[in-house]
Amino acid sequence: MAAQKPSVPKGTRDFTPAEMSRRNFIFDTIRDVFRKYGFKQIETPAMENLSTLLGKYGEEGDKLLFRILNSGNFLKGVDQQNLENRDAPGIISRISKRGLRYDLTVPFARYVVQHRNEISFPFRRFQIQPVWRADNPQKGRYREFYQCDADMIGSESLVNEFELIRIIDEVFALLNLKVTIKINNRKILAGIAEVIGEPERIIDITVAIDKLEKIGEEKVREELKSKGLSGTALKRLDPVFGMMGNNVEKLEFLQTFLADSETGLAGIGEIHTLLGYLSTDPVQSAIELDITLARGLDYYTGAIIEVKSDEVSIGSICGGGRYDDLTGIFGMPGVSGVGISFGADRIYDVLQQLDKFPSTAEEQTKLLFVNFGENEVKYILPMLGRLRNEGVIAELYPESAKMKKQMTYADQSAIPYVALVGENEIQSDKITVKEMSTGNQEQHDYKELLQKLKS
Amino acid sequence: MAAQKPSVPKGTRDFTPAEMSRRNFIFDTIRDVFRKYGFKQIETPAMENLSTLLGKYGEEGDKLLFRILNSGNFLKGVDQQNLENRDAPGIISRISKRGLRYDLTVPFARYVVQHRNEISFPFRRFQIQPVWRADNPQKGRYREFYQCDADMIGSESLVNEFELIRIIDEVFALLNLKVTIKINNRKILAGIAEVIGEPERIIDITVAIDKLEKIGEEKVREELKSKGLSGTALKRLDPVFGMMGNNVEKLEFLQTFLADSETGLAGIGEIHTLLGYLSTDPVQSAIELDITLARGLDYYTGAIIEVKSDEVSIGSICGGGRYDDLTGIFGMPGVSGVGISFGADRIYDVLQQLDKFPSTAEEQTKLLFVNFGENEVKYILPMLGRLRNEGVIAELYPESAKMKKQMTYADQSAIPYVALVGENEIQSDKITVKEMSTGNQEQHDYKELLQKLKS
């Protein structure tokens, strides 16, 4: 067969050892914090039945699902007429019944319903797995990427929101990143739509307000007008554009502004309770009430959370919120949950840009034994085993290649020490150790070598 | 939308928290040993271009690939004639250009060629990721399962085989499993085919010999006869059937039997060298030369390794071997490598059957605070944070539900201690702690509580 120029599919990536160490640093940090808070790990299959996935992510989402071709004779159930007419929708439903996971939330909802009898609620689960989306790849957006999700399901208590915010704070503290945790509540947004007399237009209103920072007040007004918002409603919205100050001041304003909306006041109450919990055990990150926050509005019903880096200008690096009925679609209504999702790829970019990956994130071979030949190999092997058992990552160059080749390998692999054990060393029961950064050579016995490597 | 009865695709699985803890115990053990020996982790995408995968696993393998339907207008490039004629092969090559990873070896070969300029050879890589095969699911065989591979590439030295055997030994020692590591060498098999005068029939011969244990000598002879092996050749093969004894005795026999085959003698020499290395730093597991071992013969060119449990009758739980030209197909010939792959699912089954999972494999919440209401919650939250910072996995029941409900949750979640902090406890600055297994209740201050939980 002719040689092929190898590549990976568009939007997917290989991860090299150096990248893996840094990625593992992020995943391990997040996992450890999830565990510390009593979250239990689950995993779900990469493939789900399309009946589980379709219709859960909107029309646009359905298009972004990667579909698996049925195996065997995939044309079996397809109508001849459909084929002749090139009827794509008619054909696709017959030739593919599984798709790749698009996120971790819908598979989790499916899991909860399927395993309801084994689960003791409230259930705290975390899940760290890749997801796939047939999106157009661009900088920072991939077709395969990891999500790191924690959800609590089966409890309406705001203690859950508190715990998730503590988790966020702790993860970013451990990653040595300064962040602002923005919070909002869907009920406040519903209240605003209510008091300006446009309760049905909550989506249009919040989608527009969400752009306030980006496009400015005037453009937002124009957008709302073009969506058919009445002049009266727009005028009533004015004070919201002018809202300023810290959380307490914002809440005071909203208390008055939303005085006639029961829903709005309930939202304010929830924010008060949450801030109350946070005052008993404060977090390091800034907590900022931001009523322009509207992510996943069709989805969230209470708290909305979004995390921004204070140091790098990049989209949200973690987000989440409360959903009141995630499992209803699978036949289990009325189960409230709240969850967050860390965006590992963006966190990676932030750490990289700030040069904040700890050097320990890369686990390195500490010592390379040069290979002088069979006799030396047999002398070295037991010593190599002892060093490894002491926790020293060590290697023996597998071939008795030219010295220069072996040293180049040590150099390129960033191995800090090279051990030279030839006839003389075997005679004297010593090891010559070269420090690669300085070129210094010293003779040691095994004990001294071990001390040197462990220090 | 009507409620759906949720399920996962045939041959795939959810993993519950209890299963995840046990699986992580296996993965963590393997990963730690790989790292200890200086192997570096990589990851490759779940999807590969079909041009990378097709033709690498034989005709049967090609059929078992899961193919991804092209996104967007997947019918675009398909010939009308092909559609009308239901020409499956003609259609499939147009509607699908990516497939799911079938193993970790071919993606690794692709990786090596693609990243050849960043890699310093010899390269020790490990990779722990799921693979997918459209196999017929049956007990112990899944369509999605994890492989745990370690390979050294770019070195012909038998030190590599030695190190892989040490890794195998160490992994199973840490898993507390007794195993036999069977070794063979493709060159010995080639030598046998040579000296009986049927060098071209090496595959038929070894496939038949491979069944010796299962179907017995007579049936193997019949099979070989039916494959067209001459009477003379069969007669010459007789001593091989009769070969017995320990490794030294087997090698002595082979030394004579293969005296006229240069290849055969080279194979024996390799086994000698390997056993020589092992004698300098012996492993705990039995090492057994087994010339019936022929796994992946179309693939391996030197050492062949297979690991069997001594305690449970199950197929091989780890295997591997040397391949002389893995990357040639991607345009980089002459790179020799040797690798092993642990079968996590079978290892799981063995550990489960022997009840050998350590209890520490399950990370458990140690303490649940009962929730008596808002005042108590605010009192408890800072204490909860302190305990967690001390490494105690603790939870607060999020709602002030009925006592019975909260205790049932603790019971079902196997949480060993429950803390009761009501008005009295707040007054006296004490915590009432109930041990769930005995029902005993004691009062402690924070310090005593911490001591109790950490002991």
Side-chain angles (χ1 to χ4, degrees):
Chain A
M1 202 184 291
Q4 306 154 352
K5 199 180 165 236
S7 65
V8 295
K10 199 170 68 162
T12 71
R13 295 163 289 172
D14 285 328
F15 296 109
T16 65
E19 288 164 338
M20 280 307 299
S21 311
R22 295 195 286 266
R23 287 172 66 83
N24 283 335
F25 167 67
I26 297 172
F27 293 133
D28 291 347
T29 301
I30 294 172
R31 188 182 307 123
D32 287 350
V33 177
F34 285 165
R35 285 204 179 120
K36 177 174 168 184
Y37 281 77
F39 284 73
K40 318 276 183 243
Q41 189 174 16
I42 69 161
E43 281 187 7
T44 61
M47 295 177 213
E48 292 277 353
N49 293 319
L50 280 174
S51 56
T52 299
L53 300 176
L54 285 171
K56 309 304 188 297
Y57 308 105
E59 221 174 289
E60 210 38 54
D62 283 355
K63 282 189 203 145
L64 299 183
L65 292 175
F66 278 110
R67 291 161 188 251
I68 314 272
L69 199 60
N70 295 342
S71 29
N73 178 5
F74 66 97
L75 288 176
K76 208 168 78 187
V78 185
D79 209 78
Q80 185 68 21
Q81 214 51 46
N82 285 345
L83 287 171
E84 286 178 15
N85 298 340
R86 306 180 80 90
D87 172 9
I91 294 171
I92 205 169
S93 63
R94 287 319 188 86
I95 65 174
S96 166
K97 57 174 198 269
R98 285 157 305 201
L100 293 181
R101 181 167 62 213
Y102 179 90
D103 71 359
L104 302 179
T105 308
V106 168
F108 173 53
R110 196 260 314 136
Y111 177 96
V112 167
V113 177
Q114 201 176 324
H115 298 263
R116 59 205 291 179
N117 295 325
E118 312 151 33
I119 296 172
S120 41
F121 294 94
F123 180 41
R124 295 162 179 243
R125 91 84 171 76
F126 79 89
Q127 190 170 354
I128 299 179
Q129 289 191 279
V131 301
W132 295 271
R133 296 183 186 177
D135 240 329
N136 238 353
Q138 56 185 61
K139 197 185 164 327
R141 191 201 283 163
Y142 305 100
R143 290 185 153 188
E144 174 181 63
F145 58 97
Y146 269 75
Q147 292 192 334
C148 313
D149 282 23
D151 290 78
M152 282 137 152
I153 194 160
S155 160
E156 288 171 18
S157 162
L158 290 158
V159 168
N160 299 310
E161 275 83 342
F162 163 78
E163 298 233 281
L164 292 176
I165 286 175
R166 282 219 64 87
I167 285 176
I168 291 170
D169 185 64
E170 199 156 329
V171 164
F172 287 111
L174 288 168
L175 295 176
N176 189 22
L177 291 179
K178 288 190 182 57
V179 299
T180 295
I181 304 172
K182 297 185 172 200
I183 56 171
N184 193 11
N185 195 298
R186 155 83 184 224
K187 289 170 189 160
I188 291 179
L189 296 170
I192 292 174
E194 229 175 81
V195 298
I196 67 166
E198 301 271 11
E200 305 299 318
R201 291 194 183 271
I202 170 171
I203 305 264
D204 288 339
I205 295 167
T206 49
V207 164
I209 291 183
D210 195 34
K211 298 179 188 160
L212 203 52
E213 222 174 295
K214 222 192 256 168
I215 63 175
E217 206 175 313
E218 220 30 63
K219 288 252 164 76
V220 170
R221 253 184 254 271
E222 273 168 37
E223 180 172 326
L224 284 171
K225 216 168 173 178
S226 78
K227 294 270 180 187
L229 212 71
S230 75
T232 325
L234 261 177
K235 205 162 168 53
R236 285 192 188 145
L237 200 56
D238 262 356
V240 172
F241 289 125
M243 191 176 84
M244 285 195 306
N246 60 27
N247 294 339
V248 173
E249 289 161 337
K250 284 180 189 167
L251 282 168
E252 271 169 13
F253 161 79
L254 288 169
Q255 194 82 37
T256 314
F257 188 73
L258 298 174
D260 291 334
S261 162
E262 207 179 311
T263 308
L265 292 177
I268 296 172
E270 290 188 7
I271 299 277
H272 270 299
T273 304
L274 183 54
L275 292 177
Y277 291 151
L278 283 165
S279 71
T280 70
D281 192 13
V283 294
Q284 296 175 33
S285 314
I287 304 284
E288 185 188 318
L289 173 61
D290 179 356
I291 62 154
T292 71
L293 203 67
R295 52 178 284 134
L297 193 76
D298 41 345
Y299 189 92
Y300 293 125
T301 52
I304 304 172
I305 301 168
E306 194 166 279
V307 183
K308 295 280 238 171
S309 164
D310 293 346
E311 299 158 297
V312 170
S313 175
I314 196 170
S316 109
I317 51 181
C318 176
R322 177 170 288 278
Y323 38 84
D324 269 348
D325 187 18
L326 188 71
T327 54
I329 197 110
F330 298 117
M332 187 177 169
V335 182
S336 187
V338 55
I340 50 170
S341 183
F342 287 89
D345 287 296
R346 280 203 184 148
I347 294 173
Y348 187 100
D349 289 344
V350 171
L351 285 168
Q352 189 80 329
Q353 207 171 316
L354 297 171
D355 200 15
K356 280 198 173 177
F357 279 109
S359 59
T360 50
E362 265 181 77
E363 261 195 274
Q364 275 297 348
T365 298
K366 198 100 188 247
L367 178 77
L368 176 76
F369 283 96
V370 167
N371 187 328
F372 288 110
E374 283 305 285
N375 283 336
E376 288 83 355
V377 164
K378 286 186 178 163
Y379 180 83
I380 288 166
L381 288 180
M383 203 190 316
L384 185 60
R386 279 172 76 191
L387 283 173
R388 284 171 172 162
N389 286 338
E390 293 284 350
V392 176
I393 303 183
E395 295 177 38
L396 161 66
Y397 195 89
E399 330 250 348
S400 59
K402 285 203 179 115
M403 188 68 167
K404 194 178 163 216
K405 194 174 176 189
Q406 300 193 42
M407 296 308 272
T408 303
Y409 171 79
D411 197 44
Q412 289 181 344
S413 308
I415 299 174
Y417 296 101
V418 167
L420 304 147
V421 181
E423 261 177 58
N424 290 341
E425 282 84 0
I426 295 178
Q427 289 281 319
S428 61
D429 210 9
K430 295 273 183 191
I431 304 121
T432 301
V433 180
K434 180 173 177 171
E435 193 172 345
M436 293 297 280
S437 61
T438 60
N440 285 350
Q441 277 190 205
E442 281 180 40
Q443 284 222 333
H444 297 291
D445 62 18
Y446 173 80
K447 241 180 157 171
E448 291 162 354
L449 172 66
L450 184 61
Q451 256 170 359
K452 188 184 194 105
L453 295 172
K454 294 203 96 172
S455 70
Chain B
M1 202 183 291
Q4 307 155 352
K5 200 180 163 234
S7 65
V8 294
K10 199 169 71 162
T12 70
R13 296 163 287 171
D14 285 327
F15 296 110
T16 65
E19 287 163 341
M20 279 308 298
S21 311
R22 295 195 286 266
R23 287 172 67 83
N24 284 336
F25 167 67
I26 297 172
F27 292 132
D28 291 347
T29 302
I30 294 172
R31 187 182 308 123
D32 288 350
V33 176
F34 285 164
R35 285 203 179 122
K36 177 173 167 183
Y37 282 77
F39 284 73
K40 316 276 182 244
Q41 189 173 17
I42 69 161
E43 282 188 5
T44 62
M47 295 177 212
E48 292 277 352
N49 293 320
L50 280 173
S51 56
T52 299
L53 300 176
L54 285 171
K56 309 304 187 300
Y57 308 105
E59 220 173 291
E60 210 39 54
D62 283 355
K63 283 190 201 144
L64 299 184
L65 292 175
F66 278 110
R67 290 160 188 252
I68 314 271
L69 199 61
N70 295 343
S71 29
N73 179 5
F74 66 97
L75 288 176
K76 208 168 77 188
V78 186
D79 209 78
Q80 184 68 20
Q81 213 51 46
N82 285 345
L83 286 171
E84 286 176 16
N85 297 341
R86 306 180 79 89
D87 172 9
I91 295 171
I92 205 168
S93 64
R94 288 319 188 86
I95 64 174
S96 165
K97 58 173 196 269
R98 287 157 303 202
L100 293 182
R101 181 168 62 214
Y102 179 89
D103 71 358
L104 302 179
T105 309
V106 169
F108 173 53
R110 196 260 314 137
Y111 177 97
V112 168
V113 177
Q114 201 176 323
H115 299 263
R116 58 205 292 179
N117 295 325
E118 313 151 33
I119 296 171
S120 41
F121 295 94
F123 180 42
R124 297 162 177 241
R125 91 84 170 75
F126 79 89
Q127 190 170 355
I128 299 180
Q129 289 191 279
V131 301
W132 295 270
R133 295 182 186 177
D135 239 328
N136 239 352
Q138 56 185 60
K139 198 187 163 327
R141 192 202 283 163
Y142 305 99
R143 291 185 153 187
E144 173 180 63
F145 59 96
Y146 269 76
Q147 291 192 333
C148 312
D149 282 24
D151 289 79
M152 282 136 152
I153 193 158
S155 161
E156 287 171 19
S157 162
L158 290 157
V159 167
N160 299 310
E161 275 83 342
F162 162 79
E163 298 233 281
L164 291 176
I165 286 175
R166 283 219 63 87
I167 285 176
I168 292 170
D169 185 64
E170 199 156 328
V171 164
F172 288 111
L174 288 168
L175 295 176
N176 189 23
L177 292 178
K178 287 190 182 58
V179 300
T180 296
I181 303 172
K182 297 185 172 198
I183 56 172
N184 194 11
N185 195 298
R186 157 82 184 225
K187 290 170 187 161
I188 291 179
L189 297 170
I192 292 173
E194 228 175 81
V195 299
I196 68 168
E198 301 271 12
E200 305 299 319
R201 291 193 183 271
I202 171 170
I203 305 265
D204 288 341
I205 293 167
T206 47
V207 164
I209 291 184
D210 195 36
K211 300 179 186 161
L212 202 53
E213 224 175 293
K214 222 193 254 169
I215 63 175
E217 205 175 313
E218 221 30 65
K219 289 253 164 75
V220 169
R221 253 185 255 273
E222 275 168 34
E223 179 171 326
L224 284 170
K225 217 167 172 179
S226 77
K227 295 269 180 186
L229 211 72
S230 75
T232 326
L234 261 177
K235 210 170 161 49
R236 284 194 188 142
L237 201 55
D238 262 356
V240 173
F241 290 125
M243 191 177 82
M244 284 195 304
N246 59 28
N247 294 341
V248 173
E249 289 162 337
K250 284 180 189 166
L251 282 169
E252 272 169 12
F253 161 80
L254 288 169
Q255 194 80 39
T256 314
F257 187 74
L258 299 174
D260 292 334
S261 163
E262 207 179 310
T263 308
L265 292 176
I268 295 171
E270 291 187 7
I271 299 277
H272 271 299
T273 304
L274 183 53
L275 293 177
Y277 291 150
L278 284 165
S279 72
T280 69
D281 191 13
V283 294
Q284 296 174 33
S285 314
I287 305 284
E288 185 187 316
L289 174 62
D290 179 355
I291 61 154
T292 71
L293 204 65
R295 50 177 286 132
L297 193 75
D298 39 344
Y299 190 93
Y300 293 125
T301 51
I304 304 173
I305 301 168
E306 194 167 279
V307 182
K308 295 280 240 172
S309 165
D310 293 346
E311 300 158 296
V312 171
S313 176
I314 197 169
S316 108
I317 51 181
C318 176
R322 178 170 287 279
Y323 38 85
D324 268 348
D325 187 18
L326 189 70
T327 55
I329 197 110
F330 299 116
M332 188 178 169
V335 182
S336 188
V338 56
I340 50 169
S341 182
F342 287 89
D345 286 296
R346 279 201 184 150
I347 293 173
Y348 186 100
D349 289 346
V350 171
L351 284 168
Q352 189 79 329
Q353 206 171 317
L354 297 171
D355 200 14
K356 279 196 174 178
F357 279 109
S359 59
T360 50
E362 266 180 75
E363 261 194 274
Q364 274 298 347
T365 298
K366 199 100 188 246
L367 178 76
L368 176 76
F369 282 96
V370 167
N371 187 329
F372 287 110
E374 284 305 284
N375 284 336
E376 287 84 354
V377 164
K378 285 186 180 165
Y379 180 83
I380 288 165
L381 288 181
M383 204 189 317
L384 184 61
R386 280 172 75 191
L387 283 173
R388 284 171 173 162
N389 286 338
E390 292 285 350
V392 176
I393 302 183
E395 294 176 37
L396 160 66
Y397 195 89
E399 330 250 347
S400 58
K402 285 204 179 116
M403 188 69 167
K404 196 179 162 214
K405 194 173 175 189
Q406 300 192 42
M407 295 308 272
T408 304
Y409 171 79
D411 196 44
Q412 288 181 345
S413 308
I415 299 174
Y417 295 101
V418 167
L420 304 147
V421 181
E423 263 178 56
N424 290 341
E425 282 84 0
I426 295 179
Q427 289 282 319
S428 62
D429 210 10
K430 296 272 184 190
I431 303 119
T432 302
V433 180
K434 179 172 177 171
E435 192 172 347
M436 293 296 281
S437 61
T438 59
N440 285 349
Q441 277 190 205
E442 279 180 41
Q443 285 222 331
H444 297 293
D445 62 18
Y446 173 80
K447 240 180 156 173
E448 292 163 353
L449 171 67
L450 183 61
Q451 256 172 358
K452 188 183 193 108
L453 295 172
K454 293 202 96 173
S455 69

